[in-house]
Amino acid sequence: MKLYDFQEQDLKELINNKDKALIAYEMGLGKTYLSLNYLKYIFNTNGYYLIVTPLYLQMYWKDKIKEVLNRSCFINSDNVNSPGIYLLNYAKLKIKILKDHTYLRPWDLIIADEANYIKNPRTKRFRAFKKLHEKNLIKRILLLTGTPMQNNVTELWSLLYLSGIDNITYYQFIELFAKKIKAPWGYKIIGLKNKKLLIKALKTIMIRRLRKDVAPSLPPKVFEIIKMDCPSEENLIRMKLNGISSIANLDFDIPNRKLTVFHS
């Protein structure tokens, strides 16, 4: 698939200026194709590349890897024995990094799809990425998300940290950028402060594209509710025994980029 002009422009930006970036395209604008074309550009047969996705997107990524790079990949492999592209879901990532350490090794590139899955620094998913980062095992990283901030500004810290702005702690980030009020349990985030400084930091690592700016001819998104009959308990058991479905196991889950904080 040929890249659009804006994707070609962003690919050049990644190649020339950003080895760690947050790709924040609005949904449907081609984050997957952009990141895989970047992988295609840097690909070396002796390299190790890791793509982390939600479980339900793994087969989609497998197909796109074949389409863009004409290569196969290792899916949820227990070990990393050979150079190549490894495709892993977030649930497996926690085990492979934090428990058995089989994926705790240098990576030439990590692509994290639906990076909002690691926005909470208290989760094992984020801790797995943080461990790789702290041990300097990530040469390049692309974080893909259409919604870099869903609820409040604190969700940006983990993405900034993994993108190279890592000299500010989570709590320093809150003090610097979050408006908060006292609450019975501690404090409640109610807004954003120091917006210009945050935007300045984001511009060093984020590539943001909106449909209305780059693809105005596309029709608007349509959300449709499709009602389905709930399978009976008997059918659920039969589906599980036949290996058709296992609902219980579904997983729906920049040079010197440093943010300097001056204290009075």
Side-chain angles (χ1 to χ4, degrees):
M1 178 180 175
K2 186 182 183 299
L3 295 179
Y4 291 103
D5 289 344
F6 72 90
Q7 291 174 312
E8 292 279 6
Q9 180 182 338
D10 294 340
L11 179 59
K12 290 178 182 178
E13 176 70 13
L14 288 173
I15 292 169
N16 296 327
N17 300 312
K18 290 181 169 63
D19 54 2
K20 296 180 179 179
L22 171 59
I23 311 300
Y25 280 13
E26 193 174 11
M27 186 175 70
L29 294 183
K31 296 184 293 292
T32 304
Y33 280 103
L34 175 62
S35 58
L36 286 178
N37 274 275
Y38 178 69
L39 171 54
K40 183 179 181 179
Y41 178 84
I42 67 167
F43 190 86
N44 184 295
T45 54
N46 295 319
Y48 289 80
Y49 310 93
L50 176 61
I51 301 175
V52 187
T53 79
L55 178 61
Y56 71 97
L57 286 174
Q58 283 193 301
M59 293 303 103
Y60 168 80
W61 274 88
K62 173 182 175 290
D63 292 342
K64 297 307 174 186
I65 291 167
K66 184 66 176 177
E67 178 184 338
V68 177
L69 287 93
N70 194 26
R71 294 183 179 277
S72 58
C73 59
F74 302 98
I75 303 177
N76 295 331
S77 174
D78 288 331
N79 298 290
V80 184
N81 295 322
S82 305
I85 303 170
Y86 288 78
L87 190 55
L88 198 66
N89 65 67
Y90 282 99
K92 287 274 189 180
L93 177 79
K94 297 181 293 186
I95 298 170
K96 299 303 176 186
I97 299 294
L98 300 176
K99 187 176 180 180
D100 61 28
H101 303 158
T102 50
Y103 278 61
L104 195 61
R105 55 148 295 117
W107 295 97
D108 293 285
L109 171 67
I110 294 180
I111 298 173
D113 192 19
E114 299 294 342
N116 47 292
Y117 274 50
I118 51 175
K119 65 185 180 183
N120 187 341
R122 298 180 180 88
T123 62
K124 289 183 178 180
R125 296 173 192 155
F126 173 76
R127 283 164 48 199
F129 276 89
K130 187 171 183 283
K131 192 164 187 176
L132 287 166
H133 177 80
E134 288 176 336
K135 291 183 176 294
N136 295 315
L137 298 176
I138 306 174
K139 186 175 182 179
R140 307 174 186 88
I141 187 169
L142 299 182
L143 305 171
L144 315 185
T145 177
T147 52
M149 187 175 71
Q150 290 178 300
N151 300 306
N152 64 63
V153 67
T154 62
E155 297 175 351
L156 288 173
W157 177 81
S158 61
L159 303 180
L160 287 168
Y161 177 89
L162 293 173
S163 298
I165 303 175
D166 55 3
N167 66 325
I168 180 170
T169 69
Y170 176 70
Y171 295 103
Q172 287 173 333
F173 183 88
I174 291 175
E175 288 298 321
L176 189 59
F177 294 117
K179 285 183 181 178
K180 54 187 186 295
I181 58 173
K182 289 183 179 179
W185 57 89
Y187 60 82
K188 178 181 179 181
I189 307 297
I190 60 169
L192 167 67
K193 62 182 181 181
N194 295 320
K195 183 177 179 180
K196 288 183 179 180
L197 180 59
L198 180 58
I199 291 174
K200 185 178 179 180
L202 284 169
K203 281 183 176 180
T204 65
I205 56 101
M206 185 168 73
I207 298 177
R208 178 68 165 162
R209 297 287 188 177
L210 301 177
R211 290 163 64 95
K212 64 181 180 65
D213 298 326
V214 299
S217 62
L218 290 178
K221 290 182 288 187
V222 176
F223 295 91
E224 182 179 359
I225 298 175
I226 301 176
K227 295 182 178 180
M228 300 177 64
D229 293 330
C230 182
S232 66
E233 184 178 358
E234 180 183 347
N235 283 337
L236 286 175
I237 294 172
R238 184 180 294 112
M239 289 164 66
K240 189 169 184 177
L241 289 174
N242 290 337
I244 298 172
S245 174
S246 180
I247 291 176
N249 291 327
L250 288 179
D251 181 19
F252 286 104
D253 314 300
I254 150 161
N256 298 327
R257 298 184 214 110
K258 301 295 179 186
L259 183 60
T260 304
V261 182
F262 296 94
H263 297 280
S264 57

